[in-house]
Amino acid sequence: MKKVLLGILLGSCLGVFAQPSLSGGQVTGNHETTFQYLNTDTIIGAFAPEQKVVMNSYTNVNYINGKFAAGMRLESYLPAIAGYPAFYSGTGVGYKYLQYNGDFVSFTAGNFYDQFGSGMIFRSYTEPALGLDNVMNGASIKVRPVNGIELKGVYGRQRFNFADGQVIWSEGIVRGLDADVNFNDLIPSFSESKLKITAGASIVSKYQPANNDTLRIPKNVAAYGGRISLRYSGFFMDAEYIHKINDPTQLNGYVYNTGHGALINVGYSRKGLGINLTAKSLDNMVFRSDRVVEGNQLFINYLPATSNMHTYILPGTLYPYAPNFAGEIGYQLDVLYKIPKKTKLGGKYGTDLNLNVSVATDRVRHTSSENFDVDRISYEGRPFDMTDSLFNFDFNLNITRKLNKKWKVAATYYHFIFNNDVNKVTNFASGYIKSDIIVLDVTYKIARKHTLRVEAQNLWTEKDRGDWAAFLAEYTFAPHWFVAVMDQWNYGNSNENQRLHFVLGSVGYLTGNSRIAVSYGKQREGILCIGGVCRPVPATNGLTFNFTHTF
Amino acid sequence: MKKVFLFVVLAGFGLMSMISGDEGGAPKKVPSVMLKDLDGNTVNTAEVSNDGNPIVISFWATWCKPCILELNTIAENYDDWQEETGMRLVAVTIDDERNKPKVKPFVDGKGWEYEVWYDSNSELRRAMGVNNPPQTFLLNGEGDIVYSHNGFMPGDEEELYDEILKIADIEE
């Protein structure tokens, strides 16, 4: 540990004396390092690795000069932090690219992230917190032949693993084309219209060699679809439909069914009011560049999550919902309303209300007319054809009100019905887990730069590990410091020996573009979700040091 | 193994302190990325301008509480700030497809009057080296990035406004 600290000091000192000479062009980038010192704590189920200390680190650097850009990311997992995918190890270059950005054409060689439409057909992205990265390795081109039209082509292999500092690329190759048309830009006489129309179409195909004695596996599998987006004053509608041809994979049991994805958002908003209704239908829509890989790797597309992303710890990590891989039908209603300020009900500053309801169910599998022995089509799925088999129900209502210059209060109520047989998050229950949660969040401004925030949360459930309470106190003094302490207490566990406290203390320092945070204590095993993709994280007991910097 | 570890730490931190220091080179600008605004119009981020007045670029997301606190706090002062300095704020949302449909209702629901860009696949976020939101950049009248800040605590808005005042062309 001492040596490491010495190294940090030395490195920083060296840096101060170095004088890079950059004439023309600019360097941007960011860095993040997470160290953990882990203890074994058999009561909560935390186990220290042999190395005791683990570290994740990455630095992105972009060099931009006029229309040219180049960049890379160096990554280190020595070894990876607790709960991170085990296939991350070593130090090496995880991402590199060369890019030209012209007005008419842009192209990238090497690695690139991109997305077509809502991502239901193609989305290459990274979530470092989840260890998720399906960056493409190949080339991409964007052409804007006339104002209002953009054509994109992508071609490459996908990032699969990062082993001993080397990226392992997918065996399969992904090829895609996308066209996007903005009619208001394209047609001059339409440019001032209140009606805004954009539309797009995509096709993506993957190639993977196949050797199978019993089945004729398609080596090339395509998906295609279109989208439209309309805006008229406060009203909006976005819709996308994707069709995937037969795609036998290990996950779907090598059936030759087609797949579909449909996503519709309709809404209205004006100052002080926002309404959004989402409808989604997915069937056999996992689209990967490798037919035998499972888990979260090598996704070509993104399965849209249509439930609220909860950020408080109990509603966010105990029963979080992610789309079912096989398919589902989902609906969501989201309403935001601000009771106007200076009214009796709204108070001096107004009051924010947010209602969110979402439901996801299984889809109907039409089997009667199928002849499985001949065509290996196990069923037919039709868009929005739902069953009453519930996957998830989520009701939540939030009220936020600033009382005066010093006090602000937010209260949220949640009701979840979670089907643990479909998306398993706990070994202590089966079937439906019903839970009710209340979260109170109070902010008190002590002085101009001193603020105290307190969260009190309680979760009631008859199943799983029973009731939980959580308490957080966070003291910030701008512009540099924050101190926080959190306790999660499983007071309702039916096993009295498991009525545990998980106490975690944190201290952070922010300055300009750097943030250093140190936390010590116990973290409960749970599910970490970002953007509808989830990963289980193990219980840990120890010290975590996190440093981020933007340059 | 330990040596590699040491080397990485050394190299990483050395590189960082090097770059974070005063580069003495040309001032940084906003990189060119094609994004869409709330109405579906394509914007070239490098062409952002405000008639020679200051621009604040703020990265946020609907699920990021400190971001919302920052944008709400600025919203309370926005009329005054605009009147006094001619500044404007562009709020770049990094919400991905899950939350993207909620952005417009969210912005309207909060009553924010900012220009909003969708950075749904974090392209601008990567190009500008943003780790986690909120991250705020201040551009002067020439489009040079003169100040940036990560995170938000109540009171930080006053530091931002002091920086805006430094570069604003204020008529006495």
Side-chain angles (χ1 to χ4, degrees):
Chain A
M1 245 349 231
K2 266 188 183 168
K3 270 188 182 172
V4 175
L5 286 173
L6 203 76
I8 294 169
L9 264 171
L10 239 156
S12 312
C13 293
L14 274 172
V16 174
F17 292 105
Q19 287 290 329
S21 57
L22 297 170
S23 58
Q26 62 180 16
V27 174
T28 66
N30 60 320
H31 171 88
E32 175 162 11
T33 295
T34 307
F35 290 99
Q36 282 180 330
Y37 178 84
L38 298 168
N39 300 316
T40 294
D41 181 340
T42 49
I43 299 169
I44 65 166
F47 295 97
E50 278 179 18
Q51 297 90 337
K52 286 276 191 192
V53 185
V54 293
M55 182 200 73
N56 281 14
S57 173
Y58 65 87
T59 303
N60 280 298
V61 180
N62 304 297
Y63 174 72
I64 304 161
N65 196 338
K67 290 179 170 162
F68 292 93
M72 65 190 282
R73 177 172 62 233
L74 270 160
E75 302 173 34
S76 284
Y77 309 93
L78 297 169
I81 58 169
Y84 218 67
F87 49 77
Y88 281 84
S89 65
T91 298
V93 177
Y95 167 74
K96 55 183 186 291
Y97 72 92
L98 297 170
Q99 195 173 61
Y100 170 82
N101 269 306
D103 295 328
F104 168 70
V105 63
S106 309
F107 56 83
T108 308
N111 299 137
F112 59 91
Y113 297 99
D114 208 337
Q115 175 176 324
F116 294 168
S118 70
M120 235 175 3
I121 187 164
F122 175 73
R123 185 180 184 212
S124 160
Y125 71 114
T126 178
E127 284 295 354
L130 291 176
L132 197 148
D133 193 340
N134 64 347
V135 71
M136 295 277 285
N137 189 37
S140 89
I141 187 162
K142 289 178 192 174
V143 184
R144 286 169 285 273
V146 290
N147 191 19
I149 294 184
E150 187 180 64
L151 307 168
K152 282 187 201 174
V154 298
Y155 207 118
R157 291 194 150 93
Q158 293 184 295
R159 172 164 158 154
F160 175 46
N161 277 351
F162 189 88
D164 293 328
Q166 295 277 334
V167 180
I168 313 294
W169 304 102
S170 63
E171 183 187 35
I173 303 175
V174 178
R175 299 81 47 107
L177 280 173
D178 183 76
D180 194 75
V181 182
N182 182 326
F183 290 94
N184 299 81
D185 286 345
L186 183 68
I187 305 163
S189 60
F190 198 40
S191 65
E192 295 302 312
S193 169
K194 272 180 109 178
L195 177 67
K196 311 272 180 206
I197 306 177
T198 61
S202 330
I203 179 163
V204 175
S205 145
K206 62 164 175 177
Y207 164 78
Q208 189 188 10
N211 285 308
N212 194 303
D213 297 335
T214 50
L215 296 171
R216 271 177 44 210
I217 303 273
K219 297 185 181 78
N220 294 285
V221 174
Y224 51 87
R227 60 185 181 271
I228 186 159
S229 164
L230 305 171
R231 308 246 169 301
Y232 187 81
S233 65
F235 295 92
F236 62 90
M237 197 270 293
D238 297 288
E240 181 164 24
Y241 186 84
I242 304 295
H243 176 85
K244 189 183 70 163
I245 65 166
N246 61 39
D247 182 19
T249 63
Q250 190 164 297
L251 182 77
N252 70 14
Y254 290 98
V255 298
Y256 284 58
N257 299 16
T258 59
H260 81 261
L263 184 66
I264 303 166
N265 279 290
V266 186
Y268 170 76
S269 73
R270 60 171 166 81
K271 198 169 177 181
L273 174 69
I275 301 167
N276 183 63
L277 181 68
T278 309
K280 174 187 70 177
S281 173
L282 293 173
D283 178 40
N284 192 31
M285 204 48 208
V286 168
F287 191 28
R288 267 193 259 240
S289 55
D290 194 303
R291 65 179 75 82
V292 296
V293 167
E294 297 194 6
N296 282 329
Q297 288 164 282
L298 291 184
F299 264 89
I300 297 170
N301 67 342
Y302 168 75
L303 302 179
T306 46
S307 59
N308 220 1
M309 193 160 110
H310 301 304
T311 49
Y312 291 110
I313 191 138
L314 294 182
T317 60
L318 277 166
Y319 307 113
Y321 189 68
N324 187 270
F325 280 2
E328 68 178 26
I329 314 291
Y331 292 93
Q332 175 177 221
L333 173 70
D334 200 58
V335 181
L336 288 134
Y337 179 65
K338 191 181 190 90
I339 306 174
K341 57 186 171 190
K342 291 169 188 148
T343 58
K344 203 173 176 188
L345 208 58
K348 189 180 172 190
Y349 300 91
T351 302
D352 287 327
L353 300 176
N354 185 2
L355 169 78
N356 177 278
V357 188
S358 66
V359 63
T361 73
D362 202 355
R363 73 277 183 231
V364 178
R365 277 159 267 202
H366 298 270
T367 50
S368 55
S369 62
E370 310 295 350
N371 191 349
F372 188 73
D373 295 336
V374 178
D375 54 20
R376 283 193 68 82
I377 294 171
S378 55
Y379 65 89
E380 186 199 341
R382 294 173 194 160
F384 299 104
D385 201 355
M386 65 197 288
T387 70
D388 56 5
S389 165
L390 185 70
F391 285 177
N392 191 53
F393 175 79
D394 177 337
F395 171 93
N396 55 91
L397 178 67
N398 171 278
I399 301 172
T400 304
R401 181 161 176 162
K402 186 173 169 181
L403 302 176
N404 52 43
K405 282 202 161 178
K406 290 202 171 292
W407 292 90
K408 194 177 147 193
V409 181
T412 318
Y413 167 72
Y414 306 81
H415 179 69
F416 297 156
I417 304 172
F418 187 89
N419 189 336
N420 194 51
D421 294 344
V422 177
N423 277 26
K424 192 167 183 156
V425 295
T426 175
N427 292 320
F428 301 104
S430 62
Y432 292 110
I433 301 170
K434 288 184 188 173
S435 57
D436 294 279
I437 307 169
I438 288 178
V439 177
L440 285 174
D441 184 336
V442 179
T443 306
Y444 175 61
K445 200 165 183 176
I446 299 163
R448 214 173 69 114
K449 292 188 170 178
H450 295 249
T451 307
L452 177 70
R453 194 172 71 84
V454 175
E455 279 176 20
Q457 311 181 18
N458 200 78
L459 178 145
W460 292 269
T461 183
E462 303 281 313
K463 281 195 168 180
D464 193 19
R465 283 161 292 179
D467 303 342
W468 286 84
F471 179 81
L472 170 89
E474 178 190 76
Y475 185 80
T476 55
F477 42 118
H480 295 307
W481 291 93
F482 72 85
V483 183
V485 62
M486 181 170 71
D487 182 25
Q488 295 176 77
W489 182 28
N490 189 193
Y491 70 91
N493 201 308
S494 53
N495 178 351
E496 281 187 35
N497 297 325
Q498 287 293 317
R499 290 180 184 169
L500 304 171
H501 283 275
F502 294 78
V503 183
L504 186 74
S506 322
V507 181
Y509 179 79
L510 283 87
T511 179
N513 289 310
S514 299
R515 180 183 186 274
I516 298 168
V518 180
S519 59
Y520 185 80
K522 296 174 185 178
Q523 294 198 30
R524 170 172 57 77
E525 125 185 87
I527 310 284
L528 178 65
C529 297
I530 295 171
V533 179
C534 298
R535 166 170 76 79
V537 289
T540 55
N541 178 344
L543 180 86
T544 300
F545 167 90
N546 180 268
F547 175 77
T548 63
H549 183 81
T550 293
F551 50 88
Chain B
M1 210 53 180
K2 263 191 178 170
K3 272 188 184 170
V4 176
F5 183 69
L6 205 78
F7 171 75
V8 169
V9 171
L10 227 153
F13 279 82
L15 184 77
M16 280 192 26
S17 48
M18 205 165 83
I19 293 167
S20 63
D22 183 12
E23 284 159 24
K28 284 188 187 182
K29 307 258 185 193
V30 178
S32 170
V33 173
M34 296 292 183
L35 299 182
K36 298 235 168 148
D37 68 10
L38 281 185
D39 291 326
N41 302 312
T42 303
V43 287
N44 182 345
T45 56
E47 288 170 6
V48 63
S49 68
N50 186 24
D51 295 329
N53 291 315
I55 301 173
V56 174
I57 293 188
S58 183
F59 283 82
W60 70 287
T62 55
W63 43 262
C64 164
K65 289 201 181 76
C67 304
I68 293 157
L69 185 61
E70 176 174 33
L71 293 172
N72 270 340
T73 307
I74 296 175
E76 286 169 18
N77 303 302
Y78 199 49
D79 290 344
D80 292 341
W81 287 19
Q82 283 196 305
E83 210 167 281
E84 287 159 21
T85 65
M87 61 80 70
R88 76 182 172 100
L89 188 143
V90 179
V92 182
T93 164
I94 60 160
D95 277 296
D96 67 9
E97 286 308 323
R98 176 178 199 174
N99 293 306
K100 192 180 166 188
K102 292 179 189 168
V103 168
K104 191 173 156 53
F106 194 92
V107 169
D108 284 342
K110 293 280 177 196
W112 295 344
E113 286 161 7
Y114 312 130
E115 181 173 349
V116 177
W117 296 345
Y118 292 109
D119 189 23
S120 311
N121 213 26
S122 292
E123 277 184 76
L124 187 62
R125 178 192 186 180
R126 266 189 300 277
M128 295 187 81
V130 175
N131 280 299
N132 292 303
Q135 172 92 28
T136 303
F137 295 91
L138 175 63
L139 279 58
N140 68 14
E142 280 76 55
D144 302 334
I145 297 170
V146 292
Y147 167 83
S148 62
H149 188 85
N150 176 242
F152 180 80
M153 297 183 198
D156 280 350
E157 75 280 5
E158 296 182 23
E159 190 181 317
L160 174 66
Y161 194 57
D162 287 344
E163 296 292 330
I164 296 172
L165 284 171
K166 276 188 206 166
I167 57 164
D169 182 18
I170 297 169
E171 288 170 31
E172 295 294 334

